Amino acid sequence: MSEVAWIGLGAMGGRMAARLLAAGHELIVWNRTAARADPLAARGARVAATPAEAARGVATVVVMVTGPAALREVTEGPDGIAAAVSPGATVIDMSTVGPPAVADLRAVLPPEVALIDAPVLGSLNEAESGTLSVFVGGDPGPVAAALPLLGVLGTPVEAGPLGSGAAAKLVANEALLITLTALGETLALADRLGLPRDIAWRVLGLTPLGPQAERRRPAVEADDPPKLFALRNAVKDAGLITHEAGAAGRLAEAARSWLADAEAAGLGDHDYTAVIGHILASGRRAAPGSGPRPEIEPD
Ligand SMILES: NC(=O)c1ccc[n+]([C@@H]2O[C@H](COP(=O)([O-])OP(=O)(O)OC[C@H]3O[C@@H](n4cnc5c(N)ncnc54)[C@H](OP(=O)(O)O)[C@@H]3O)[C@@H](O)[C@H]2O)c1
């Protein structure tokens, strides 16, 4: 199998790259913090000194970094991928960056290099087991050629032309972040009304939040749930979403402001479900019955 360059070996990227290695791909890897490449090097991956060195001469370059700024850092400048990637190669960006950053990347890559945006839904367990959902945007030819490789990582969902994968990912994450913060607010309301928590969970089980309540209950009840997705990265995603949603993004903005508050309170490096605990604590601090009381009934 042809050699693949992999840029970005964080919580997700390290696990995904390991799957390619296990599937028999030869890998050349680069990560800003070099030590994070050690486990893959021990399993046979070559380690490059720069993103450009990793990209030189390979047919496929995959990028999995934090967001738009990190993407620019690894693609632009003399050490960036764009300076070295070969004509005819395909760059696959799997980071959650939103459509504008994908368009910026298209503009800096040579025209003879194909670009696919392929961000993922699912977390560390899904990355490890190859059961992610992969939202794929790009021209049909390069997308068709990339599907076998993407299939090692999860189930590709072909979303449309370049930027569609990034768009699909923001839609999915708006649903996720709104639901998570809605769960925090409903539990905070239950607390303020004096409902015992086990009754609150039963009530939520009878509402559209039921499946999310069941899924998040262990994280809410754990003091500090294991970090799967860093809260600071959820703040990044919420900012990408509100930028795109504009005036139609009131719920997205509410979710973003809760997450940003939680980050400001020092929770940025915790799992993003810590936002629920932050909302509950805010509910405990607010004065009882401090919202406006509706006096006028509608006709
Ligand atoms: N975790 C999840 O559950 C999950 C699920 C779906 C999608 N995602 C998305 O997947 C992407 C990666 O997430 P993750 O959880 O793996 O995050 P992470 O553990 O924080 O890893 C981030 C990666 O980006 C690199 N990076 C950050 N800033 C950089 C810069 N300025 N220059 C070069 N490299 C830089 C980091 O390098 P260092 O090692 O040097 O810090 C690391 O390799 C993000 O877009 C995230 O939104 C995450």
Side-chain angles (χ1 to χ4, degrees):
M1 260 181 255
S2 65
E3 194 173 40
V4 173
W6 192 287
I7 311 299
L9 301 169
M12 293 293 285
R15 287 169 170 81
M16 292 159 71
R19 278 200 67 81
L20 291 191
L21 208 52
H25 288 275
E26 286 178 31
L27 278 194
I28 177 160
V29 299
W30 179 87
N31 192 62
R32 179 181 60 178
T33 305
R36 278 180 122 172
D38 291 349
L40 289 169
R43 294 169 58 186
R46 290 198 296 133
V47 179
T50 63
E53 185 186 310
R56 191 164 292 120
V58 305
T60 309
V61 182
V62 184
V63 183
M64 187 54 161
V65 292
T66 307
L71 182 65
R72 280 197 299 277
E73 195 74 30
V74 302
T75 52
E76 299 181 10
D79 289 337
I81 292 161
V85 63
S86 310
T90 297
V91 174
I92 307 177
D93 176 43
M94 304 195 78
S95 332
T96 303
V97 294
V102 174
D104 291 348
L105 177 56
R106 180 60 279 173
V108 299
L109 287 174
E112 321 75 52
V113 171
L115 175 61
I116 293 173
D117 53 313
V120 300
L121 184 66
S123 195
L124 308 191
N125 291 338
E126 291 78 14
E128 229 159 84
S129 59
T131 54
L132 294 163
S133 296
V134 186
F135 301 125
V136 189
D139 291 341
V143 166
L147 289 180
L149 183 141
L150 296 175
V152 176
L153 306 174
T155 304
V157 177
E158 291 181 64
L162 188 67
S164 309
K169 172 64 180 167
L170 294 192
V171 170
N173 273 22
E174 175 167 16
L176 191 65
L177 298 180
I178 286 175
T179 312
L180 195 67
T181 46
L183 186 58
E185 286 203 8
T186 49
L187 287 174
L189 178 65
D191 285 359
R192 287 171 67 81
L193 293 169
L195 268 191
R197 190 56 72 72
D198 61 328
I199 302 291
W201 287 119
R202 276 181 65 189
V203 171
L204 286 173
L206 301 171
T207 75
L209 283 181
Q212 192 64 206
E214 192 180 336
R215 180 172 165 203
R216 302 299 176 187
R217 187 171 177 174
V220 174
E221 289 175 347
D223 218 11
D224 188 11
K227 185 170 77 171
L228 301 179
F229 180 43
L231 189 139
R232 73 165 50 86
N233 286 347
V235 176
K236 175 261 305 180
D237 287 1
L240 295 170
I241 291 164
T242 52
H243 173 75
E244 297 297 335
R250 289 189 198 175
L251 294 174
E253 175 50 28
R256 192 205 62 77
S257 71
W258 275 127
L259 288 158
D261 280 2
E263 186 183 26
L267 297 172
D269 203 35
H270 292 241
D271 188 64
Y272 76 133
T273 51
V275 72
I276 295 177
H278 178 75
I279 296 171
L280 292 174
S282 304
R284 283 193 291 275
R285 279 196 303 274
S290 54
R293 185 172 175 179
E295 300 289 357
I296 303 169
E297 308 294 336
D299 289 337

